Amino acid sequence: MRKWFSATEIRKSELIVKEVLAFIDENEAQTVSMVDDILGCPHEEGIDYPEGEHCPQCLYWKGRDRFIDRIS
């Protein structure tokens, strides 16, 4: 597993796209899955904030079901 970070729109970074493609190639991936939208904040539950709580840095996602994009 590898993570990429950017202060700007990461999906439009030519450098990061090249690195992701190289990572996929280096690991001989047979299949790749991706989504066409952002599925949540970049902070990790249990690492950046306690499990079962909302991210205190990204209040937009508080109470929101990121898979169906509505307030739960």
Side-chain angles (χ1 to χ4, degrees):
M1 185 166 145
R2 174 142 183 234
K3 299 177 186 180
W4 287 267
F5 299 92
S6 176
T8 61
E9 176 55 77
I10 197 166
R11 296 172 294 175
K12 295 182 180 181
S13 168
E14 188 174 326
L15 173 65
I16 292 175
V17 169
K18 286 180 181 179
E19 288 182 7
V20 169
L21 292 173
F23 178 81
I24 291 168
D25 189 46
E26 290 165 8
N27 289 280
E28 300 178 355
Q30 299 297 307
T31 59
V32 176
S33 176
M34 55 191 300
V35 297
D36 62 354
D37 210 348
I38 297 171
L39 288 181
C41 80
H43 307 103
E44 295 185 56
E45 183 179 17
I47 295 174
D48 298 315
Y49 59 94
E51 286 195 39
E53 296 184 15
H54 70 277
C55 177
Q57 298 182 57
C58 300
L59 297 179
Y60 172 83
W61 294 102
K62 182 179 181 181
R64 187 175 296 270
D65 184 327
R66 62 188 182 158
F67 297 107
I68 56 175
D69 197 32
R70 68 175 181 192
I71 302 296
S72 59

